[in-house]
Amino acid sequence: MMNRRSVLKAVFTGGLVAGMGVLMPRVAMAAWSKAAFEAGSQEAAMGALYSTNPSASAEVTLKAPDIAENGAVVPVSVKSSLAGVTSIALFVANNPQPLAAQFTIPEGTLANVSCRIRMGKTSDVTAVVTTASGVFSASKEVKVTIGGCGG
Amino acid sequence: MKIIKSLLAGASIALVASITQAANSGNTLASVDPEADRLALQSYFQKRFPQVALSDYVNGIYALDAPSREQWQDIEEFPPYEFDIEEGEALFNKTFANGKSYADCFANGGIGIRQNFPRWDASQGKVVTLELAINQCREANGEEALGWKKGKIAQISAYMAYTSRDNVFDVQIPNDKAKAAYLDGKQSFYARRGQLNMSCANCHVAGAYIKIRADLPGPTLGHVTHFPVFRSKWGNLGTLQRRYGGCQKNVRGVPQKTQGEKFRNLEFFQTYMSNGLVVNGPGARK
Amino acid sequence: MKKTISLVAALMMVSGVVAAHSFNEAFNEQRAMYGKGHSFMWNGQTYITDHPEEVAAAVEANAANAAKLLASAKAKYAEVLAVDFGWTLTAKLLKSANKALEAGDFRKSMNISAQAEYHSRMGIAQYHQSQTEWIMAVPE
Amino acid sequence: MAKGILRAKAKVKGDNTVVKIMAKHAMETGNRKDTSGNKIPAKFIQTLSISYNGKTVMETNMGTAISKNPYLAFTFVGGAKGDELQMTWTENTGASATETAKIK
């Protein structure tokens, strides 16, 4: 895990000179962190990925519905106006495994991703954006309801 | 000026009256008037939701509810039924053991014809839905019938709907026998069933866009246009009649037979109500 | 003070029941409020909020009576299925009534059979209603 | 015409290319049980990376909280009509493949 972190840090610090370091970040990007993805709590998952706690930022925009039509397919997008975004991660606090996805953003790719997540129940969804200067986040509560039309 | 106004008022009253009468009196073969029913239903919804364009009803509840619409539009960016259209196309084009194919069973080779189903088949003396026609085609060519509710039949139906997108629904009621089937479907639509004592209309006419626990039922106008649907709840594609059965179970009734006469007539009635709207199936729903 | 209020309440209820309700409405209202086994007045007569099926089940709990009620409930269920208006819970009720009968719990079996028969009777009533009154639901 | 599990819609928009990808995959979480009560083993896509002209333009690590038929949309600078994107996915089971899609 320490290994993983130091590699990540190396990427973060090297983030701004990326582009020429095509091969180097690839190695770090490919790593799927078992510790983070299998963590049972958001705190543990974040701890496995970041060395500091993310700080809330208005420059991170998380788009998610107030009430999910269906918890099995919740459309979510994250974008950020911060400079030098190297990665974006999504957490669903109340899921059995809160870390949903991690997107590595190489230089030349916009800090703007969309995906669809699963939510077992009402929960805060948190987007965490990593840049050379720190770790930033935005959260939003998404309600998951039990419908009347099971069919 | 006054004269024109009162004339207009008089005309509109007469119009409303005739519609009301048609909708209200249409419970016998002699008095039922499908076209009046259709216009009455349209005007009912347009009065309730004046801001919604008639053509938008093909989007079901998403025509009425903005937050759901936004999520649905996100899903439609890359809809989950695309795989099913692909598979449906492959299945549709696969020849049967006897060398024939679906194209041989349908008008225009089966392309762009969704809007004409369900149709009254005079020789069989019954309503034939697209799914029934698909299975009849298979059986006529020595193939086994497919299951009615999901899987291959839904995929083939999805592909056929896809080739018909933007075609205008044009269900025909050519004679009194067909009209009787329509009336039977109308009756089913408004009849209460199950322990909850609810009819289709309770949720999808009066109850459209009114919360039932956490669900917002869609308006029946435009209901059928987007079927078959990939329903997130199912996690796969299903036919209209699969949904019928689900609805009947939801009101705690024993569901009627899939592709039985009752359901086919109900589909006949319901699709006739959406005449004039376009085919936009397959669709994605919650 | 308390007395007056409850008296007023009682008066309102009684007058309401008598004046504005058909027997079925009064029965359904009382049943919904108090459940079964409750007496109420209607048009000067005392009635009890039991369904006919519950009255039929209010006999000695023994194997013969339980079997009879179950058979009757099953027949009624077949009848409602024949007109395509069955309710989803009924099949399960019949199963548990059968189970209770086999376990010798006759009272339980009889009560469940009564409930199952009630479901089927209501389903049949829905069928008849669907033949005539459905048109009332068509919006104007 | 053998097709993989990925479908992509990549379109040039101004100076950028907008990429939308969907995978046909159940994303089995390992938390579900089958009808006889046995746990259905986890089977999900763990990584999906997309490259253009030999350069990685997006790399995704996914967990079980990604919905069935995973969807991903992103935008990168550059890209030209007719060029190909390389998309490589790996599953937690070790299965993996590279598929391609044309930019339109």
Side-chain angles (χ1 to χ4, degrees):
Chain A
M1 207 164 87
M2 269 321 286
N3 248 348
R4 163 84 185 146
R5 260 192 211 173
S6 42
V7 173
L8 266 178
K9 270 187 194 158
V11 177
F12 297 159
T13 44
L16 289 174
V17 280
M20 47 179 159
V22 168
L23 284 176
M24 193 275 289
R26 264 193 75 87
V27 179
M29 285 193 288
W32 186 86
S33 167
K34 198 173 156 72
F37 275 104
E38 291 183 1
S41 76
Q42 182 160 313
E43 211 182 1
M46 285 190 178
L49 292 182
Y50 313 112
S51 47
T52 56
N53 276 337
S55 50
S57 165
E59 291 190 80
V60 177
T61 311
L62 168 65
K63 187 185 160 221
D66 296 332
I67 301 173
E69 265 217 292
N70 187 316
V73 195
V74 185
V76 174
S77 7
V78 185
K79 61 180 174 183
S80 173
S81 51
L82 292 163
V85 173
T86 54
S87 91
I88 294 173
L90 270 170
F91 299 85
V92 183
N94 292 345
N95 268 10
Q97 289 98 30
L99 177 57
Q102 206 187 1
F103 308 93
T104 309
I105 314 285
E107 192 177 280
T109 294
L110 308 189
N112 184 353
V113 294
S114 305
C115 67
R116 294 167 192 167
I117 57 173
R118 263 188 195 129
M119 297 181 63
K121 54 184 167 194
T122 298
S123 170
D124 277 344
V125 175
T126 302
V128 177
V129 167
T130 312
T131 76
S133 51
V135 189
F136 305 93
S137 70
S139 292
K140 178 176 180 178
E141 190 193 48
V142 176
K143 287 200 171 73
V144 175
T145 54
I146 307 293
C149 303
Chain B
M1 195 57 199
K2 256 185 192 169
I3 295 170
I4 295 174
K5 256 190 193 167
S6 58
L7 256 179
L8 275 175
S12 65
I13 285 167
L15 187 67
V16 169
S18 73
I19 287 169
T20 307
Q21 204 187 356
N24 259 337
S25 61
N27 59 344
T28 64
L29 193 55
S31 64
V32 72
D33 181 348
E35 200 49 22
D37 286 351
R38 187 178 73 84
L39 295 173
L41 192 75
Q42 278 185 6
S43 87
Y44 170 86
F45 280 114
Q46 287 190 298
K47 260 182 228 157
R48 256 187 81 188
F49 307 106
Q51 73 285 8
V52 177
L54 190 60
S55 60
D56 207 20
Y57 277 90
V58 296
N59 296 321
I61 187 62
Y62 307 123
L64 310 182
D65 186 55
S68 319
R69 186 186 184 99
E70 208 175 311
Q71 292 177 59
W72 166 70
Q73 279 171 333
D74 281 342
I75 301 280
E76 284 282 339
E77 286 281 317
F78 211 132
Y81 54 72
E82 290 213 356
F83 295 114
D84 294 302
I85 295 175
E86 262 178 34
E87 276 161 44
E89 181 175 8
L91 288 166
F92 181 87
N93 289 323
K94 211 173 137 189
T95 46
F96 302 133
N98 67 2
K100 292 202 168 180
S101 73
Y102 292 108
D104 298 315
C105 297
F106 292 95
N108 198 35
I111 303 300
I113 56 163
R114 174 68 184 92
Q115 68 281 359
N116 300 323
F117 283 88
R119 59 179 198 87
W120 177 257
D121 186 305
S123 59
Q124 298 184 56
K126 65 181 185 186
V127 171
V128 174
T129 60
L130 183 58
E131 287 81 15
L132 178 58
I134 289 170
N135 263 347
Q136 287 185 340
C137 175
R138 293 181 62 83
E139 286 176 329
N141 288 290
E143 302 283 325
E144 264 182 41
L146 300 168
W148 290 121
K149 295 182 188 176
K150 56 183 175 182
K152 289 178 180 168
I153 204 160
Q155 290 173 327
I156 295 166
S157 172
Y159 169 68
M160 293 176 78
Y162 185 70
T163 65
S164 316
R165 275 194 174 180
D166 292 332
N167 293 355
V168 177
F169 267 100
D170 183 21
V171 170
Q172 301 280 348
I173 301 177
N175 54 43
D176 268 7
K177 277 187 181 166
K179 208 190 234 187
Y182 167 91
L183 180 62
D184 183 59
K186 182 180 175 185
Q187 178 176 347
S188 284
F189 186 83
Y190 289 103
R192 292 167 177 272
R193 2 178 356 104
Q195 194 170 7
L196 301 186
N197 198 31
M198 289 166 94
S199 69
C200 305
N202 283 136
C203 288
H204 298 291
V205 179
Y209 195 47
I210 289 173
K211 275 237 159 88
I212 297 180
R213 283 169 72 191
D215 279 329
L216 280 171
T220 187
L221 188 58
H223 231 163
V224 297
T225 63
H226 47 264
F227 274 83
V229 300
F230 188 103
R231 204 170 173 239
S232 305
K233 188 133 206 162
W234 292 335
N236 54 41
L237 193 76
T239 59
L240 180 64
Q241 297 207 0
R242 177 184 182 188
R243 192 72 196 95
Y244 281 175
C247 275
Q248 292 194 330
K249 271 190 229 161
N250 287 158
V251 301
R252 301 202 195 147
V254 177
Q256 290 171 300
K257 200 174 155 213
T258 312
Q259 296 293 340
E261 191 181 12
K262 282 284 172 186
F263 271 4
R264 279 183 287 107
N265 289 350
L266 178 59
E267 186 171 336
F268 194 47
F269 163 76
Q270 226 195 345
T271 311
Y272 189 90
M273 288 293 105
S274 292
N275 261 359
L277 298 175
V278 296
V279 178
N280 62 335
R285 286 297 179 271
K286 67 179 281 189
Chain C
M1 193 57 196
K2 253 187 186 168
K3 242 182 186 172
T4 333
I5 290 175
S6 58
L7 191 66
V8 170
L11 273 175
M12 280 171 59
M13 205 181 294
V14 169
S15 67
V17 167
V18 173
H21 288 57
S22 70
F23 175 78
N24 278 342
E25 280 169 333
F27 179 91
N28 289 339
E29 188 183 300
Q30 295 287 318
R31 169 83 186 191
M33 275 197 287
Y34 301 107
K36 65 175 178 178
H38 171 78
S39 319
F40 67 100
M41 296 277 290
W42 185 80
N43 264 0
Q45 294 261 7
T46 305
Y47 295 90
I48 191 159
T49 57
D50 287 0
H51 293 136
E53 293 80 8
E54 287 159 356
V55 176
V59 291
E60 195 195 331
N62 59 35
N65 280 340
K68 203 174 105 190
L69 282 176
L70 180 58
S72 159
K74 277 184 176 165
K76 201 74 165 177
Y77 187 52
E79 212 180 301
V80 73
L81 286 184
V83 294
D84 230 350
F85 269 75
W87 291 6
T88 44
L89 289 181
T90 322
K92 278 177 209 146
L93 288 176
L94 290 171
K95 240 186 212 164
S96 42
N98 195 39
K99 228 175 164 184
L101 173 63
E102 280 170 3
D105 193 346
F106 304 127
R107 176 43 51 206
K108 187 178 169 192
S109 172
M110 288 160 73
N111 287 344
I112 299 173
S113 291
Q115 206 186 338
E117 176 136 9
Y118 170 72
H119 277 191
S120 302
R121 179 167 62 86
M122 295 311 282
I124 292 166
Q126 281 177 326
Y127 163 72
H128 288 298
Q129 207 166 28
S130 79
Q131 301 300 299
T132 51
E133 290 177 25
W134 63 273
I135 198 69
M136 309 283 282
V138 180
E140 291 181 6
Chain D
M1 223 199 75
K3 279 184 166 174
I5 63 165
L6 300 178
R7 299 291 178 274
K9 295 175 183 176
K11 267 189 190 144
V12 175
K13 242 186 190 172
D15 297 333
N16 301 332
T17 300
V18 179
V19 185
K20 295 172 187 169
I21 298 173
M22 189 163 68
K24 186 177 172 58
H25 203 285
M27 295 297 276
E28 209 44 81
T29 61
N31 298 329
R32 291 201 317 153
K33 287 180 178 167
D34 64 18
T35 41
S36 38
N38 304 315
K39 274 208 165 177
I40 303 171
K43 187 177 195 264
F44 60 95
I45 297 178
Q46 273 188 327
T47 69
L48 171 61
S49 77
I50 297 96
S51 62
Y52 170 67
N53 275 349
K55 177 185 179 296
T56 301
V57 289
M58 171 55 70
E59 182 132 329
T60 316
N61 292 337
M62 296 187 233
T64 51
I66 291 295
S67 67
K68 176 180 175 169
N69 293 342
Y71 169 75
L72 165 69
F74 66 96
T75 303
F76 70 90
V77 180
K81 211 171 163 171
D83 284 0
E84 263 188 359
L85 293 175
Q86 256 78 40
M87 311 175 287
T88 304
W89 57 266
T90 61
E91 217 178 50
N92 67 319
T93 58
S96 131
T98 298
E99 302 175 20
T100 60
K102 272 214 163 73
I103 299 175
K104 282 178 183 165

